[in-house]
Amino acid sequence: MKKAYIYFENGFLLEAQSFGADGTEIGEVVFNTSMSGYQEIITDPSYAGQFVTFTMPEIGIVGTNSKDNERELPHCKGIFVRQYQNFPSNFRAQENLSNFLKQHKIMGICNLDTRGITSMIRDEGSMMAIVSTEISDPKSLQAKLQESLRIEEINYIQQVSIQKEQIHTKGTFCFSQMDFQTPCTNKTVVAIDFGAKDNILNELAQAGLNVIVKPHSFDAQEIITLFQDQKIHGVFLSNGPGDPMILKNEVKEIQKLIQAKIPIFGICLGHQLLSIAHGFPTQKLKFGHHGGNHPVKNLINGKVEITAQNHNYSVTEEILQVAEVTHRNLFDGTIEGVRYKDSPIFSVQYHPEASPGPKDSTELFQRFAQML
């Protein structure tokens, strides 16, 4: 393994070892508390521009395979782990994690005190860092980091979104149908891809919906015309990376969909963009929510759901002017779900498709289908 150097914007320097791609990368450091599912996390487009610190100390033992990716290409900057296991011991493994990271030019840094990094982020907040297998001089690392753009200044949506319209055909369909490729309903939704996880699209299909996926640069008027002609019946707004406040064009198009009274369901970034489109800005959390063990109370039925989460931004209490809060985080009380008062629109901040419960939250996709 090569030596690797991590310089944080607070001046903290670490020397470690690299088991992933070589080079120099700059990004925001966050921590994830999930006990499993590292391949899903690495390939989640919402981590674009970030280094993920795993609090699980042993990473790599299950290897990687072609079926556990959330997108074909990962977009995170790299991962920080306490101890890397290079020899996978799992019947589904097709290659080790090191080869996977090198193939996709993702950095992997090990032999780190990840407990210490997590404590630092928890106390000081998410922060930018530069990681290099090429530069060891602290002053050179500092200078390169200071001259680089911060994550909130970069539109990563343009990098992770599809470029052309697609039809999503994966997912489990209704077993009552003789033809398993036929969904249980004739309702069609347009899913706007801001960096959608594949399993979200799978869950929409499993709920019995035909799914048309459009890129982030969608034309709202085209969708409104399809809705008025009853060729589509609703819109889904996906998860995605970065600061939602810089997505000015996307917000303008969403506002047109809202004015047209089209039924809309949003998850994560989609949830945040709906708030902004209604005139209420989001706020950045100190260190975000990243993990598979976040308790959320459903205020409609009183149940507590164990949820998977991955976001650095949150909808504020101002949203109560136009929406009813349906879900709250039991860790910090932040808003996790809303239902708008005068529109057929609802959204959640967490990831109901990630199944940490394992099925605590999947009813949201059925709810969307029933609303249509």
Side-chain angles (χ1 to χ4, degrees), residues 284-305:
K284 187 167 186 177
L285 300 171
K286 185 175 182 180
F287 48 80
H289 297 168
H290 311 277
N293 55 356
H294 290 249
V296 168
K297 185 169 185 179
N298 185 323
L299 303 181
I300 304 301
N301 58 26
K303 294 181 179 180
V304 174
E305 304 170 12

Side-chain angles (χ1 to χ4, degrees), residues 159-172:
Q159 298 180 23
V160 303
S161 177
I162 60 172
Q163 300 303 309
K164 295 182 180 180
E165 178 181 307
Q166 299 176 2
I167 304 298
H168 187 82
T169 57
K170 297 179 184 178
T172 303

Side-chain angles (χ1 to χ4, degrees), residues 25-41:
E25 293 287 354
I26 295 172
E28 183 180 49
V29 182
V30 298
F31 64 85
N32 187 296
T33 57
S34 295
M35 298 290 286
S36 62
Y38 60 74
Q39 186 175 344
E40 175 188 353
I41 293 164

